[in-house]
């Protein structure tokens, strides 16, 4: 009972954070073309700590902080956090319950879409040189990993399905088309 309560609290907490992140993203998007936020006009320095190069991680031992005067950089950071929040929501689901497995699959698909959109956004705004996290290859890899997580859940569901192989392949094909 304790574990279910703590997971539920974590889920509610992540949902509320995601709500605030979306509201902040909407505000950034609203002012993006209205205010000249640059190094020479309205000076706001946006900071980002690399998610993939951090203390105690596989890739390094020291947290690296990057920054930029571009509002597009802050928008990219927020998009990265949206993708991460969706993946955390997927992980908070109880996979032994069918509806929550479907929800987790959807959250992984949304996370993949956020990272895929971020890859295109970073390329369009020339932001890939500012952080390892924003390298197009890294973002594509994260996006594909999220899709792989969703595909794994679909496979787990289809493995318990009492249909024949053709029905399972049809289900996999439908879910794949939803993500594209």
């Amino acid at each position: 009972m304790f574990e279910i309560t703590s997971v539920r609290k974590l889920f509610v907490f992540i949902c509320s954070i995601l709500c605030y992140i979306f509201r902040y993203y909407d505000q950034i998007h609203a002012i993006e073309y209205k205010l000249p936020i640059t190094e020479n006009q309205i000076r706001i320095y946006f900071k980002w700590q690399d998610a993939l190069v951090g203390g105690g991680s596989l890739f390094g031992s020291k947290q690296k902080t990057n920054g930029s005067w571009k509002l597009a950089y802050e928008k990219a950071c927020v998009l990265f956090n949206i993708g991460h929040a969706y993946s955390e929501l997927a992980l908070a689901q109880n996979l032994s319950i069918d509806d929550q497995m479907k929800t987790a699959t959807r959250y992984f698909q949304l996370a993949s879409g956020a990272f895929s959109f971020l890859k295109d956004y970073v390329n369009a705004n020339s932001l890939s040189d500012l952080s390892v996290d924003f390298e197009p290859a890294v973002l594509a890899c994260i996006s594909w990993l999220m899709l792989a997580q969703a595909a794994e859940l679909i496979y787990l569901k289809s493995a318990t399905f009492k249909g024949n192989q053709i029905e399972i392949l049809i289900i996999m094909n439908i879910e794949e088309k939803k993500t594209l």
Side-chain angles (χ1 to χ4, degrees):
M1 182 67 181
F2 175 73
E3 185 177 322
I4 292 172
T5 305
S6 63
V7 169
R8 187 173 295 139
K9 286 181 181 178
L10 175 66
F11 180 77
V12 170
F13 178 70
I14 294 170
C15 283
S16 65
I17 288 176
L18 191 58
C19 180
Y20 286 119
I21 292 172
F22 273 123
R23 286 175 54 193
Y24 181 60
Y25 181 82
D26 286 342
Q27 293 301 314
I28 292 172
H29 187 70
I31 67 170
E32 187 172 22
Y33 299 106
K34 295 176 183 174
L35 297 176
I37 299 178
T38 63
E39 188 174 358
N40 300 328
Q41 295 176 341
I42 299 175
R43 296 176 53 96
I44 301 173
Y45 190 72
F46 300 105
K47 291 184 180 180
W48 170 259
Q49 289 187 337
D50 283 336
L52 302 176
V53 182
S57 75
L58 180 65
F59 301 110
S61 61
K62 188 175 181 197
Q63 191 80 23
K64 184 178 176 193
T65 302
N66 301 309
S68 175
W69 298 98
K70 297 179 181 179
L71 187 62
Y73 182 72
E74 178 69 358
K75 199 171 176 183
C77 295
V78 172
L79 284 168
F80 191 95
N81 286 328
I82 288 171
H84 177 259
Y86 275 134
S87 68
E88 287 293 326
L89 284 172
L91 293 173
Q93 303 299 311
N94 183 354
L95 300 181
S96 62
I97 301 171
D98 284 344
D99 287 339
Q100 289 191 18
M101 184 181 278
K102 288 179 187 176
T103 302
T105 301
R106 186 67 187 139
Y107 283 139
F108 279 129
Q109 291 170 339
L110 289 169
S112 174
F115 288 117
S116 179
F117 177 78
L118 178 58
K119 179 181 69 95
D120 296 338
Y121 184 78
V122 163
N123 281 336
N125 290 289
S126 303
L127 301 173
S128 62
D129 59 334
L130 296 173
S131 173
V132 173
D133 296 344
F134 298 139
E135 288 290 329
V138 171
L139 292 170
C141 181
I142 295 171
S143 178
W144 282 106
L145 283 171
M146 295 295 113
L147 275 182
Q149 289 290 106
E152 179 185 14
L153 293 179
I154 293 168
Y155 170 77
L156 290 174
K157 177 63 180 163
S158 65
T160 61
F161 183 66
K162 301 294 184 220
N164 62 24
Q165 292 288 37
I166 293 175
E167 290 174 335
I168 292 171
L169 291 173
I170 290 170
I171 291 169
M172 292 289 287
N173 191 25
I174 290 169
E175 289 297 323
E176 181 181 329
K177 287 181 180 178
K178 283 183 184 177
T179 61
L180 300 176

